[in-house]
Amino acid sequence: MSKNIANTALNQDVQQLGYDRSQLKSKIVHLGFGAFHRGHQALITHEMLAQEKSDWGIFEINLFGGEALITSLRAQDHQYSVSEMGASNTQVKVITSIVGSLHPELDGKEAVLSKMSEAQVAIVSLTITEKGYCVDLGSSTLDVENALIKADLKTPHAPSSAIGYIVEALRRRKEKNIKAFTVMSCDNVQENGALTKIAVLSFARLLDKNLGQWIEDNVSFPCTMVDRIVPAVTEQTLTQIESDLGVYDPCGIACEPFRQWIIEDNFVNGRPNWNLAGATFVENVIPFEEMKLRMLNGSHSFLAYLGYLGGYKHICDAMQNEAYEKATLALMLNEQAPTLNVPDGVDLEAYAHLLIARFKNPSLKHQTWQIAMDGSQKLPPRMIHSLCVHLKNKSAHKALILGIAAWMRYVSCVDENKISIDVKDPLLETFVGIYKERGLDKSVVKDLLAISSIFPRELLRDEAFVNDLTNAFQLLLTEGAKSAVASLEG
Ligand code: NAI
Ligand code: CS2
């Protein structure tokens, strides 16, 4: 057997917490063993397990991609490492909260459905990216034209989408008289629990009204606000982790030290005491979620599009340009914060400054290209909702306009040096069609604004707004992103 994290002595300063892994059961089934889950929920569960005797283990499932990752995880007894990299210090932690794993491509769909139908499973949690919910964000409804949903409605007993798996597993539980589970979304989706509920219930009702009713009566969908910057791993990160850990860990990830998890306390079948490891249970998550999506993620997308176009590979690189830092702070304080209704005690100015410090962390190589991905799914909660508040109130919103214009410029698939951009987005074909017809010309603005799953229809009718957006787009074409960002000052 080759040397790995589970069978080798690790560097002395690696943190290894002791608890009895043999007591853990697969009570949480997690869909989406990506970077974020490894640095957040699995780690917080691990730290919770070290605080009190409990059997809340996690069982991992990847529905799309990541077969090699699951194979590697199995080869090292489902243990892996997290490197929390601050500006000057790194803490490496070995995570042991995972009890097993499956992948439909490796093990078959039936194995996944059987696992999700087991009686001890009390929570199904999700980090499946924004597009994994298969909803039309414009209307907050299940997207019945989505290819996965269409296919799953035809073969619901052998699904492909996360929604299809959840509904089929719940159907089996209903049939066998097994208690339902809680479905907990941990994605950066506005009102993530409510939206998951809409997707699951709509899909179930299209199949069988009684099943839909049973789910409505027996399943809860808590909303959560999740926060920790966990960039996609690169070979360079894995090399750094190997040196800090003492052995190569193909499942290792690096992230920032900061973490936050606010969870609506609404679980139908019990829950771990994640509060023992820093999570907060509350009655209403929405104000926290909105704050994070607009302040953090809104600024992230702003920096991603303007940063990529300005030639910056990483967020921390763009933050070295003073104009980008100032513009990001101004976006947060002048255009996002005023749209928020935060709970007593939340200091948005301090929050904004903390975010600036987090974005500047030079140890985190978070690619602008990664954050720029799936903009059609990300833009509404991050920028467009706050833009609508400003249009209604007639308040200033020039940074939001530039951020949206930069997204429009980015999805042309060609950068300021005429080099192609590898744009990843479920609506890529639509963007390509628009640019093919119009060329790199400001007339694309109206066509892109007409995409109703991204932009509310009334925006296109607001002449002053369309003018401002077109001017910002034109500025990006003629002057470039760096000058456009600099022009926001004053
Ligand atoms: P990743 O690319 O490492 O993992 C993506 C995961 O989503 C994979 O496990 C994949 O199997 C699954 N997936 C992709 N498309 C899917 C689909 N259509 N249906 C079902 N599953 C699908 O990405 P990462 O970093 O784990 O982020 C995932 C999500 O977590 C983000 O989209 C975001 O909503 C949330 N998040 C990420 C943070 C980060 O800093 N990485 C922080 C906070 C939230
Ligand atoms: C980022 C987020 O990729 C993105 O879109 O904005 O994943 C961000 O890193 C997290 O939400 C931080 O909690």
Side-chain angles (χ1 to χ4, degrees):
M1 192 192 267
S2 60
K3 266 176 41 164
N4 67 48
I5 191 171
N7 63 18
T8 311
L10 305 172
N11 288 349
Q12 245 181 357
D13 45 6
V14 172
Q15 186 196 80
Q16 294 178 274
L17 301 177
Y19 51 84
D20 186 358
R21 280 184 94 202
S22 69
Q23 298 303 304
L24 302 184
K25 298 187 183 132
S26 43
K27 290 180 74 171
I28 304 167
V29 167
H30 184 75
L31 305 184
F33 185 66
F36 176 59
H37 171 76
R38 276 177 278 165
H40 194 261
Q41 185 184 341
L43 174 141
I44 293 175
T45 305
H46 166 77
E47 294 188 355
M48 178 273 298
L49 290 167
Q51 293 295 319
E52 76 170 4
K53 202 160 174 275
S54 134
D55 58 359
W56 284 96
I58 310 179
F59 194 95
E60 303 293 348
I61 294 170
N62 258 344
L63 294 178
F64 290 94
E67 292 89 330
L69 188 66
I70 294 284
T71 306
S72 302
L73 185 68
R74 289 174 182 172
Q76 49 191 48
D77 190 27
H78 291 95
Q79 302 184 39
Y80 70 98
S81 63
V82 174
S83 289
E84 296 177 335
M85 295 187 177
S88 48
N89 286 317
T90 295
Q91 172 68 66
V92 185
K93 300 178 170 177
V94 177
I95 310 302
T96 53
S97 51
I98 298 174
V99 294
S101 57
L102 283 170
H103 195 299
E105 294 297 324
L106 302 172
D107 311 292
K109 294 183 177 191
E110 194 46 42
V112 173
L113 288 166
S114 302
K115 173 52 75 178
M116 293 173 75
S117 313
E118 283 175 8
Q120 83 287 345
V121 175
I123 296 173
V124 170
S125 53
L126 311 166
T127 48
I128 53 172
T129 77
E130 292 82 345
K131 62 188 171 299
Y133 294 84
C134 307
V135 289
D136 177 308
L137 291 173
S139 56
S140 294
T141 52
L142 179 71
D143 179 6
V144 285
E145 293 306 317
N146 180 289
L148 291 176
I149 294 298
K150 269 178 151 171
D152 285 0
L153 284 171
K154 283 192 193 132
T155 56
H157 304 318
S160 298
S161 70
I163 301 302
Y165 270 101
I166 290 169
V167 170
E168 172 61 7
L170 288 167
R171 187 193 67 78
R172 292 178 182 205
R173 295 176 85 97
K174 173 178 180 280
E175 193 176 86
K176 292 188 197 144
N177 222 358
I178 297 173
K179 207 167 177 220
F181 45 66
T182 298
V183 180
M184 179 178 69
S185 165
C186 293
D187 274 294
N188 284 328
V189 169
Q190 170 108 10
E191 301 193 25
N192 52 11
L195 205 77
T196 312
K197 182 173 181 177
I198 289 172
V200 168
L201 281 184
S202 310
F203 184 87
R205 285 191 181 122
L206 286 171
L207 294 173
D208 169 0
K209 286 221 160 61
N210 289 333
L211 175 61
Q213 192 57 50
W214 185 84
I215 294 177
E216 178 147 32
D217 294 343
N218 290 281
V219 179
S220 64
F221 298 84
C223 282
T224 65
M225 182 269 243
V226 289
D227 190 8
R228 172 166 254 190
I229 297 174
V230 189
V233 179
T234 61
E235 270 312 314
Q236 200 187 349
T237 328
L238 288 181
T239 306
Q240 179 64 48
I241 293 173
E242 178 175 11
S243 136
D244 294 338
L245 180 68
V247 70
Y248 184 69
D249 177 10
C251 305
I253 52 112
C255 60
E256 62 173 341
F258 181 91
R259 70 188 201 215
Q260 193 173 19
W261 194 10
I262 304 187
I263 311 166
E264 180 187 341
D265 201 356
N266 179 18
F267 291 76
V268 287
N269 202 353
R271 60 147 171 89
N273 290 324
W274 280 310
N275 49 305
L276 296 176
T280 311
F281 288 103
V282 297
E283 232 174 83
N284 181 12
V285 173
I286 310 301
F288 297 100
E289 206 189 42
E290 223 162 59
M291 171 183 86
K292 191 239 164 181
L293 281 166
R294 292 184 190 173
M295 299 281 281
L296 188 159
N297 299 110
S299 311
H300 241 182
S301 291
F302 176 87
L303 283 166
Y305 298 117
L306 289 156
Y308 189 97
L309 294 170
Y312 297 112
K313 189 165 182 200
H314 304 111
I315 293 292
C316 61
D317 305 332
M319 290 301 284
Q320 283 186 6
N321 179 327
E322 211 182 321
Y324 276 68
E325 179 181 338
K326 280 190 181 155
T328 308
L329 189 62
L331 167 69
M332 286 195 254
L333 293 179
N334 305 338
E335 299 185 25
Q336 301 284 35
T339 69
L340 295 167
N341 206 344
V342 288
D344 286 348
V346 175
D347 178 345
L348 285 176
E349 196 164 338
Y351 185 61
H353 285 284
L354 174 65
L355 291 176
I356 294 286
R358 289 170 65 193
F359 294 163
K360 285 174 107 169
N361 182 347
S363 308
L364 278 193
K365 300 295 179 206
H366 204 183
Q367 290 191 36
T368 47
W369 174 82
Q370 187 195 349
I371 300 164
M373 215 179 276
D374 294 343
S376 65
Q377 316 291 301
K378 293 176 175 177
L379 238 49
R382 295 177 181 211
M383 290 193 189
I384 296 167
H385 295 167
S386 28
L387 171 80
C388 291
V389 173
H390 289 300
L391 290 175
K392 189 163 163 248
N393 296 345
K394 301 203 179 326
S395 39
H397 53 271
K398 61 183 179 181
L400 284 167
I401 294 254
L402 186 62
I404 295 166
W407 167 77
M408 292 183 158
R409 172 67 186 80
Y410 179 86
V411 299
S412 70
C413 299
V414 56
D415 73 8
E416 294 182 357
N417 297 313
K418 300 195 171 52
I419 295 172
S420 66
I421 307 175
D422 181 14
V423 173
K424 301 274 188 214
D425 197 292
L427 295 192
L428 178 60
E429 269 180 40
T430 309
F431 309 148
V432 170
I434 290 173
Y435 271 97
K436 206 168 159 197
E437 197 181 322
R438 304 276 186 194
L440 200 50
D441 182 86
K442 63 183 181 194
S443 56
V444 297
V445 168
K446 280 189 178 168
D447 290 359
L448 289 164
L449 270 180
I451 303 175
S452 65
S453 64
I454 309 179
F455 298 101
R457 289 201 187 285
E458 62 267 23
L459 290 187
L460 202 48
R461 292 194 288 265
D462 185 330
E463 267 180 49
F465 161 71
V466 176
N467 242 341
D468 288 347
L469 187 60
T470 308
N471 289 340
F473 185 86
Q474 185 61 40
L475 184 69
L476 287 168
L477 287 185
T478 49
E479 304 293 324
K482 279 185 185 157
S483 302
V485 171
S487 76
L488 282 175
E489 269 187 71

